[in-house]
Amino acid sequence: MTMTLADSCVDDGGMGPRADRPKRRTFSAEYKANLLAEYEAAERGERGAILRREGLYSSHIIEWRKAADAGARSGLAPATRDRRDREVEALRARAHRAEAELARTRAALDLVGKAHALVCPERKGSVV
């Protein structure tokens, strides 16, 4: 009997087919601005060395330059928001839904109270 690769693997539960792939890098706005300034100040022959040193491609510089030329420093910042901003937004949405539900509940109770007053006029003003 021959043993295949699948027979010898042990399922550890956390490993998937892409678990060993590298993670996507993110760059801060400050890093992008500093590197863009260094790149622009460098001689033509030194620019490639800067890119190799940082592990970047010329397309990075092109995109960062477009964002800087647009005058949007926020364009240099990564598109992702931090965890605190997402949590605050989720809590605001939750509070908004709760307030809407409270308004519906109050309206329903008001209608039930008015219907009860019409059905049982003798109990007017008394609390059950």
Side-chain angles (χ1 to χ4, degrees):
M1 170 188 267
T2 59
M3 180 179 264
T4 64
L5 182 61
D7 295 332
S8 64
C9 291
V10 177
D11 184 19
D12 60 355
M15 298 295 292
R18 297 182 185 192
D20 59 337
R21 293 183 68 189
K23 301 290 183 217
R24 182 178 294 255
R25 296 184 301 169
T26 57
F27 305 101
S28 69
E30 181 181 354
Y31 173 82
K32 292 176 184 180
N34 290 340
L35 194 74
L36 202 58
E38 180 184 357
Y39 186 83
E40 295 297 330
E43 299 274 332
R44 279 279 205 224
E46 297 173 6
R47 290 181 175 184
I50 293 171
L51 294 177
R52 284 189 297 276
R53 180 190 74 208
E54 299 295 326
L56 298 173
Y57 297 98
S58 60
S59 61
H60 287 110
I61 299 296
I62 292 168
E63 292 300 317
W64 298 349
R65 188 182 294 141
K66 283 180 187 176
D69 288 345
R73 182 151 172 90
S74 63
L76 291 173
T80 60
R81 294 180 297 172
D82 67 346
R83 187 176 60 93
R84 175 178 274 167
D85 289 342
R86 289 191 305 268
E87 187 175 337
V88 167
E89 189 174 311
L91 290 172
R92 283 186 180 147
R94 182 178 170 190
H96 181 61
R97 287 191 304 270
E99 288 172 1
E101 184 178 348
L102 178 62
R104 285 192 302 271
T105 301
R106 284 183 175 162
L109 285 173
D110 187 41
L111 285 174
V112 169
K114 288 178 181 179
H116 183 71
L118 288 174
V119 173
C120 304
E122 68 277 350
R123 293 187 161 195
K124 199 175 206 179
S126 65
V127 178
V128 177

